[in-house]
Amino acid sequence: MRSADYVIKRVFFAIVTVFVAITLNFVLFRTLPGDAVDALRCRQCSPAFKELQRKELGLDKSQWEQYRLYVTGLATGDLGTSLRTQKSVRSELWDPIKNTMPMIALGTIFAIVLGTLTGVLAAWRRDTLVDKGGVWVSLGFYSMPTQWLGLLMVLFVAGAVGLPTSGIETPTLGILGDASTWDVWVDRLKHMILPALTLGLVLYGDYALIVRSAMLETLGEDYVLTARAKGLSNWSIVRKHGFRNALLPIVTLIALSLGFIIGGFITIEYVFSYPGIGLETVEAIDQRDWPIVQAIFLLLTFSVIFFNLLADLLYVKLDPRVVEA
Amino acid sequence: MSVPSLPPTAFDEQAAVADIAGIEPRGRMAFLRAPALRRPSMLFGLGVVVFFVLVAIFAPLLEPYDPRAKTGAVYEAPSSAHWLGTDDGGADMLSLVIAGSRVSLIVGFAAALVAMLIGGTIGLWSGFYGGKSDTILMRITDYVLVIPDIPLMIIIAALFGRSLTNIILIIGIIYWTSTARLIRAQTKSVRERAYVTRARALGARNQRLIGKHVLPQVMPLLIANTVLTVAIAIFAETYITFLGLGDPSLISWGRLIENAFTGDAVLNDAWWAIVPPGVCVTLVILACTMIGMAMEDALNPRLRVGHLSVRRFRLRPLKGALETE
Amino acid sequence: MTAPLLQVENLHVWFDLEGGGELHAVQGVSFDLAEGERVGLVGESGCGKTTAILAVMGLLPPSASIAGKVFLDGEDILAQGEETMSPHRWVDVAMVFQGAMNAFNPVKTVGEQIVEPMELHGTASGKQARQQAGELLERVGIPAARASSYPHQFSGGMRQRAAIAMALACTPKVLLADEPTTALDVMVQAQILQLLVGLAADFGLALILVTHDLPIVAQVCERAAVMYAGEIVELGPTDALYHDPRHPYTRLLFAATPDLYGEDAVVSIPGTPPRLDRELTGCPFAPRCDSSFAPCATVKPKLISTAADHTAACHLNDPALKAAS
């Protein structure tokens, strides 16, 4: 099939999966024991209030009706209303998303760069100290529970380097005088570094192993022998034939893993009290604020679907053989 | 979403040759003899796992104090009386860590077993019978894969209670998917081998085919994958307990880390409450990963071929009888 | 008499075995190659012929060690290892690999891979190189426009031709062809062989053709060397080898070639080649030989001249020993 056909096929599949995800999301949160409102715990939640909630949320309507409302609501970008704060879910989630994205981006870029360097070096200098040491260190970080690494950071690194360990901004900033935009940015960045570093270190181990493995696989191929026979130096071979070919599995595996970073950043935000989506998830679940949880869940699922699709599309771009599959 | 993956291969040359000859390969024996299983990393991994399993089994005998009793001051530093100090309730850390090994390992192994049973069965069924049930099962797997694992676990744990069994089931139900895919691929490949076709032609019934011919060839891969799942399960347990969703009456390494966090160990500079349980978790996960990787290498030896070496090719001087021609 | 272009003197190759010990894969191979000459290297799979020519170009994996001398135009190119060898690769000695299918990098176009050695060694670059690549492809019977195709878009025969074109990129003096026609169907085989002979004549190439297939040696080569268990057991003009073989192995090899139209029963050589990880006493072929006698089990035969330019390593050619038996 031609590459355009393949792309269309993958996109179509992604869209179908999105619909299935939306439906599953709906079903999941409706099958939770008890009415969504029953379990609500908050200060102003008297029984009368809860009755009002029920009517507002349309929980007295039939399941099909609710489903229809839900899907049409989504189409217009309406994610519902938070049970705790009575504000729209969208406005509630906006800040957390704004906080989480840069932190994750920072951590992931760090992990990809360090992981790729380590992996390529380890494969090139195979079986030497650089390789063995690199593998052990990578495996070591990969095996650490994220929250534990976070705690270690707080315990040993924060004090030594003078970085803050919770929240996203220093409360005292701007009290003694006007804080410039630059100051605010720097302050935020400082708060992001430790969480991002923790995320980065845990991810880097995984990526280093993926890159090394892909490189070794590639370097064992026959065309590497041809390249060597032509007289190319080891480093040229690693660059032109090894890495370029290893990009296929590397890119797809990394793209796939991006969809699953979620596990990591929830506990990281919890440790650092970082007001992002992860912390919001935990708090919302704890307080049974289901509309929020449902929306976050949907967002995370979309993220996984998106990155899977990205992986598929990148694969087509990188491997001329896929087209003929 | 399907990602192009490496095809499963015969796990040693014997199997491939046997396939051509149409006879049943002596799979298991050859596998156990693979040099990859004698690597130092594999032995280290086995040693660590065995060590902790023994600690878990003999925990009551090894604990210097009752882990739940207050036997010292709050957050006492390590001393000769308390080798690893005490926690926020004055209980001996060493005893706690030893006691914690039981639940952590039980959850790890049990959950991995659940995942293996579910994933293995689905994979075998899908791979062997193919056709419609295969398509359906794989679609379901694809959709389950898209659901973010940690948030789902948090939600279910928050709702359905915090018992040990629940935690085990939750983890097992979420992590069967990669096993299913792997086993399906391997089953498909084994199914096409000559000796299976021959047995079928001779009239063997499906159960017999699966039990006697397919399963033994799939088993080593299943075990390798299960070992890796143990690592994931132990991780998952630490996440769930860290967020406060574990069984509060059970002592596990994850629980100890959570306790240190909520008990402000950082503020008290009580590194001894934070470091030891995390080290244990990291070691066990590292060990399982190494075992799993060594087993996978034993099954798939082609990674050992490499055309590149930093060292130049080696020249030897001719000596003795070889010198004259 | 002019000095030979390529002179291999007492070449030995050992491979480290993973459990310890060594495999003596090439045991004292010596032969000459004059300018424009075509020599065949014949033997069963595993006899060391591929290893020998890989050693000539220094292309063995890190687990190998080499002893002996390889003179190219009088210069010992093995002497200083990789440094002396590299500049000669592809420019003086080029290779067409067994299984050209995999000799190409799947993610680069065929044209790019032909241009690569040109630009590396500085024989041509840019537009001129691309033009020359196109001309080479035409020479081997592929339209120049196909240079922008990927290897998987070629048929097996076309890929083999492209591999030959690639080997000629830097107009080498010696071409090593390792089983260039195996895995191709008979019609295509004949074409490739014709191509090789034609190109050798046009380019003034010296050719070493490695194969287990006798008829093609007879077709292409003027002289041939027969290898068994890592050694050359007979060396001489192809005609002489066929009509007057002086080693039982050579005779049996020719007899074992099935004659499609003949009425004779298919002859095969009983037994298997010896293991090369241990020292052997006596003649390595003795266990399978149909004419062995007393000295064969204990004394290793040396290559003796039996006629002008014809040597064989068999006690049967030694009148003194024969008389004594």
Side-chain angles (χ1 to χ4, degrees):
Chain A
M1 73 181 96
R2 294 194 331 273
S3 70
D5 287 344
Y6 181 80
V7 167
I8 293 177
K9 201 166 181 256
R10 298 321 302 174
V11 171
F12 178 71
F13 185 72
I15 295 178
V16 168
T17 314
V18 162
F19 269 107
V20 173
I22 293 177
T23 311
L24 280 180
N25 208 332
F26 178 82
V27 169
L28 178 68
F29 284 95
R30 291 295 186 274
T31 63
L32 299 171
D35 193 288
V37 176
D38 269 343
L40 189 57
R41 319 180 200 146
C42 55
R43 268 183 232 116
Q44 67 266 44
C45 297
S46 65
F49 180 73
K50 288 188 179 178
E51 258 322 299
L52 204 60
Q53 280 291 308
R54 275 203 196 91
K55 287 229 164 51
E56 263 195 41
L57 290 172
L59 290 172
D60 47 349
K61 303 205 180 86
S62 79
Q63 294 292 350
W64 279 113
E65 189 58 28
Q66 289 185 45
Y67 180 62
R68 205 183 58 79
L69 283 173
Y70 179 60
V71 176
T72 45
L74 277 181
T76 55
D78 174 17
L79 293 165
T81 317
S82 160
L83 294 179
R84 291 173 294 165
T85 65
Q86 291 304 301
K87 297 210 207 101
S88 85
V89 169
R90 249 172 66 183
S91 60
E92 283 297 316
L93 291 183
W94 184 232
D95 273 338
I97 292 180
K98 258 181 28 192
N99 291 338
T100 300
M101 300 289 270
M103 189 266 283
I104 293 196
L106 210 59
T108 316
I109 292 175
F110 170 75
I112 291 180
V113 169
L114 192 63
T116 309
L117 279 172
T118 313
V120 169
L121 225 67
W124 179 36
R125 306 232 151 219
R126 183 195 188 139
D127 285 341
T128 60
L129 205 64
V130 171
D131 179 20
K132 296 195 178 133
V135 170
W136 278 88
V137 170
S138 304
L139 278 176
F141 278 111
Y142 173 72
S143 306
M144 290 183 195
T146 357
Q147 70 272 29
W148 186 64
L149 186 60
L151 282 175
L152 289 182
M153 287 279 158
V154 172
L155 199 55
F156 296 119
V157 176
V161 192
L163 284 168
T165 58
S166 73
I168 184 132
E169 45 202 4
T170 314
T172 51
L173 189 70
I175 285 186
L176 294 179
D178 269 333
S180 67
T181 323
W182 175 252
D183 283 337
V184 172
W185 276 74
V186 168
D187 186 49
R188 284 180 168 252
L189 194 64
K190 276 205 220 158
H191 280 88
M192 257 184 240
I193 291 183
L194 282 183
L197 186 62
T198 309
L199 182 68
L201 281 174
V202 173
L203 283 179
Y204 126 82
D206 195 15
Y207 293 166
L209 292 170
I210 290 176
V211 171
R212 175 183 179 273
S213 182
M215 287 292 298
L216 285 180
E217 183 85 25
T218 313
L219 290 175
E221 296 280 355
D222 290 340
Y223 52 81
V224 168
L225 187 61
T226 312
R228 206 171 146 211
K230 287 181 189 169
L232 276 98
S233 69
N234 276 358
W235 180 241
S236 297
I237 296 180
V238 166
R239 236 184 352 118
K240 292 206 235 168
H241 293 271
F243 191 64
R244 174 67 183 75
N245 288 64
L247 268 184
L248 273 67
I250 289 173
V251 158
T252 45
L253 285 168
I254 290 183
L256 281 180
S257 86
L258 286 176
F260 287 94
I261 294 186
I262 302 138
F265 79 72
I266 288 185
T267 45
I268 292 179
E269 289 191 1
Y270 194 70
V271 168
F272 288 97
S273 301
Y274 190 84
I277 294 280
L279 196 57
E280 187 71 26
T281 313
V282 177
E283 285 176 356
I285 292 179
D286 187 48
Q287 293 171 24
R288 310 287 193 262
D289 193 348
W290 295 128
I292 298 257
V293 181
Q294 185 169 24
I296 294 180
F297 212 80
L298 205 60
L299 274 170
L300 296 177
T301 311
F302 284 177
S303 144
V304 174
I305 298 176
F306 170 73
F307 279 108
N308 283 5
L309 181 63
L310 192 67
D312 281 339
L313 296 178
L314 280 171
Y315 206 90
V316 173
K317 190 100 211 298
L318 290 171
D319 187 352
R321 287 172 294 179
V322 170
V323 179
E324 312 289 310
Chain B
M1 309 279 168
S2 60
V3 168
S5 59
L6 303 169
T9 54
F11 57 70
D12 56 27
E13 284 139 16
Q14 278 192 20
V17 169
D19 182 34
I20 295 172
I23 56 178
E24 183 119 23
R26 308 300 303 139
R28 269 159 301 180
M29 286 302 113
F31 167 67
L32 286 171
R33 266 187 270 121
L37 293 185
R38 275 160 200 42
R39 273 194 237 148
S41 61
M42 168 74 165
L43 300 172
F44 165 81
L46 269 178
V48 168
V49 171
V50 167
F51 169 74
F52 279 108
V53 167
L54 288 173
V55 166
I57 294 177
F58 293 108
L61 295 174
L62 293 166
E63 294 159 10
Y65 300 92
D66 175 1
R68 296 174 193 277
K70 182 174 160 68
T71 47
V74 166
Y75 281 141
E76 216 181 277
S79 61
S80 51
H82 297 276
W83 289 6
L84 288 175
T86 61
D87 73 349
D88 64 334
D92 177 44
M93 274 308 297
L94 184 58
S95 310
L96 282 169
V97 170
I98 292 176
S101 64
R102 282 196 158 180
V103 172
S104 294
L105 288 178
I106 289 176
V107 172
F109 287 121
L113 196 66
V114 170
M116 168 177 112
L117 285 171
I118 301 179
T121 313
I122 292 184
L124 261 176
W125 188 281
S126 227
F128 189 80
Y129 289 108
K132 233 176 171 194
S133 51
D134 178 23
T135 325
I136 294 178
L137 282 172
M138 280 305 108
R139 279 284 161 268
I140 295 179
T141 312
D142 279 341
Y143 295 138
V144 172
L145 259 181
V146 160
I147 299 177
D149 47 356
I150 306 279
L152 185 62
M153 277 198 305
I154 300 175
I155 292 175
I156 300 183
L159 291 174
F160 289 102
R162 306 160 156 210
S163 70
L164 186 62
T165 346
N166 282 5
I167 305 277
I168 292 175
L169 285 175
I170 291 171
I171 298 177
I173 289 176
I174 298 214
Y175 288 111
W176 57 262
T177 43
S178 66
T179 309
R181 284 190 152 186
L182 201 63
I183 298 303
R184 171 182 175 268
Q186 179 73 345
T187 307
K188 278 194 164 213
S189 133
V190 168
R191 187 176 175 268
E192 298 314 315
R193 297 222 187 117
Y195 63 89
V196 174
T197 333
R198 212 181 59 154
R200 214 194 283 135
L202 289 175
R205 282 197 336 267
N206 279 341
Q207 284 139 302
R208 186 179 160 76
L209 276 173
I210 297 181
K212 203 162 185 301
H213 298 281
V214 175
L215 196 56
Q217 289 298 305
V218 167
M219 210 32 125
L221 190 63
L222 189 58
I223 294 178
N225 190 258
T226 306
V227 170
L228 290 170
T229 314
V230 168
I232 297 179
I234 296 182
F235 248 145
E237 188 264 338
T238 62
Y239 285 174
I240 294 181
T241 43
F242 190 69
L243 297 171
L245 299 166
D247 184 338
S249 65
L250 292 174
I251 304 177
S252 72
W253 290 328
R255 181 90 212 299
L256 292 175
I257 300 178
E258 187 244 350
N259 213 33
F261 179 62
T262 54
D264 290 321
V266 175
L267 269 140
N268 286 283
D269 258 335
W271 59 266
W272 54 88
I274 301 175
V275 173
V279 167
C280 292
V281 173
T282 308
L283 279 176
V284 174
I285 292 181
L286 191 60
C288 287
T289 312
M290 293 201 152
I291 297 176
M293 280 171 58
M295 286 179 93
E296 281 188 341
D297 267 357
L299 291 168
N300 196 353
R302 56 197 161 125
L303 278 182
R304 298 312 290 175
V305 175
H307 296 294
L308 285 197
S309 162
V310 172
R311 294 172 250 137
R312 283 79 184 270
F313 59 74
R314 295 175 290 159
L315 284 178
R316 268 153 105 141
L318 289 171
K319 25 184 211 293
L322 297 173
E323 209 148 354
T324 50
E325 231 295 86
Chain C
M1 170 151 137
T2 48
L5 177 57
L6 183 71
Q7 211 175 349
V8 176
E9 211 178 88
N10 206 3
L11 185 68
H12 288 263
V13 176
W14 294 266
F15 286 106
D16 296 333
L17 293 173
E18 193 160 349
E22 283 186 324
L23 192 81
H24 198 172
V26 177
Q27 307 185 9
V29 163
S30 304
F31 61 88
D32 293 344
L33 186 69
E35 227 178 277
E37 205 186 357
R38 299 189 297 273
V39 175
L41 192 55
V42 193
E44 289 170 286
S45 316
C47 71
K49 48 195 201 298
T50 305
T51 311
I53 59 167
L54 283 175
V56 165
M57 284 187 75
L59 292 177
L60 294 170
S63 57
S65 43
I66 316 179
K69 296 185 170 49
V70 174
F71 293 100
L72 183 67
D73 267 339
E75 183 194 341
D76 183 352
I77 54 179
L78 271 187
Q80 255 94 82
E82 195 82 6
E83 282 143 354
T84 28
M85 183 63 79
S86 258
H88 293 284
R89 287 193 182 135
W90 228 248
V91 173
D92 292 322
V93 186
M95 195 155 159
V96 176
F97 290 91
Q98 187 168 3
M101 333 300 152
N102 302 322
F104 282 101
N105 187 333
V107 305
K108 294 179 191 276
T109 62
V110 170
E112 279 176 318
Q113 301 186 54
I114 299 181
V115 165
E116 188 179 26
M118 292 182 194
E119 293 190 332
L120 175 70
H121 293 284
T123 52
S125 65
K127 198 151 171 242
Q128 193 196 7
R130 285 196 293 276
Q131 202 185 348
Q132 283 185 17
E135 286 167 15
L136 278 171
L137 283 174
E138 293 276 352
R139 262 313 188 80
V140 299
I142 298 175
R146 296 304 300 269
S148 52
S149 299
Y150 288 94
H152 67 274
Q153 292 168 317
F154 281 22
S155 71
M158 281 174 75
R159 256 200 299 261
Q160 195 62 277
R161 292 165 188 268
I164 296 174
M166 185 166 69
L168 298 172
C170 301
T171 53
K173 302 181 190 144
V174 179
L175 185 64
L176 307 171
D178 188 6
E179 309 265 13
T181 54
T182 313
L184 295 174
D185 59 58
V186 180
M187 295 293 290
V188 181
Q189 268 188 26
Q191 292 169 357
I192 301 285
L193 291 174
Q194 255 181 347
L195 181 64
L196 276 175
V197 174
L199 286 172
D202 290 343
F203 280 75
L205 289 175
L207 176 70
I208 298 184
L209 181 64
V210 173
T211 180
H212 62 272
D213 193 348
L214 287 170
I216 65 176
V217 172
Q219 206 182 323
V220 172
C221 309
E222 304 137 342
R223 285 195 303 140
V226 179
M227 273 185 79
Y228 185 78
E231 310 176 314
I232 295 185
V233 295
E234 189 165 359
L235 174 60
T238 335
D239 263 351
L241 290 183
Y242 184 58
H243 292 111
D244 182 29
R246 290 312 186 97
H247 192 288
Y249 181 58
T250 316
R251 176 175 36 85
L252 288 169
L253 260 189
F254 275 100
T257 310
D259 179 11
L260 274 183
Y261 303 103
E263 304 277 316
D264 305 336
V266 174
V267 176
S268 71
I269 311 176
T272 50
R275 291 173 56 143
L276 296 173
D277 54 349
R278 340 179 144 131
E279 283 295 308
L280 298 163
T281 43
C283 174
F285 189 61
R288 302 168 78 185
C289 185
D290 57 356
S291 338
S292 61
F293 59 114
C296 297
T298 47
V299 183
K300 190 151 181 217
K302 294 211 175 85
L303 275 171
I304 339 175
S305 199
T306 58
D309 206 29
H310 189 166
T311 54
C314 179
H315 293 309
L316 291 168
N317 300 308
D318 187 341
L321 278 180
K322 270 203 97 166
S325 68

